[in-house]
Amino acid sequence: MFLKVKLNARSATGYFISAYIIVTILAYLASYLVSIFIQLPPQPPGGNMFDSPEFVKSVPYHLVINLLVWTLFSYMYFRTSQKRGLNTTAPIYLGLFWLLAAILTDLVFFVLIPSPVALSFHQFYVEYQPWISITYLIVFISPLLSSTFVLRGNS
């Protein structure tokens, strides 16, 4: 039997876009701040952004940023979109929706569209391991984490 789950796609998409933009800005800011505080030499022109010393040193902070932002935005989604009650499958569906959206958005903006931050498929999805996989795991589990806070607040 097919499970009927209500996912407010419009709201989920809006929160996804907002969280994705904020995570991207904060991750770049973290890399920039690391380069200032640690006083790393600038990356030579034409280098790969993922090989830059400030990016490499700031990646663990990117994971913390991802965890906090995605969990906060999924919490806001559940607080505004699930007013009639939160069922146990909604966080899984939101996590899957956001995971697919993140993979596709990354593919378009970091692999397919030529830009100064563009990488090959191999660079982004193979050489950037385990970081990209951990990031995608965070995107997926953040609705599960935040739903526990919403459920506690409603009880």
Side-chain angles (χ1 to χ4, degrees), residues 41-78:
Q43 180 184 8
N48 177 340
M49 132 177 124
F50 290 134
D51 292 333
S52 70
E54 62 270 9
F55 184 84
V56 171
K57 295 261 188 218
S58 66
V59 168
Y61 302 110
H62 297 182
L63 297 177
V64 173
I65 290 166
N66 272 283
L67 182 63
L68 294 174
V69 171
W70 288 108
T71 303
L72 173 65
F73 275 79
S74 57
Y75 177 83
M76 292 188 306
Y77 169 83
F78 290 125

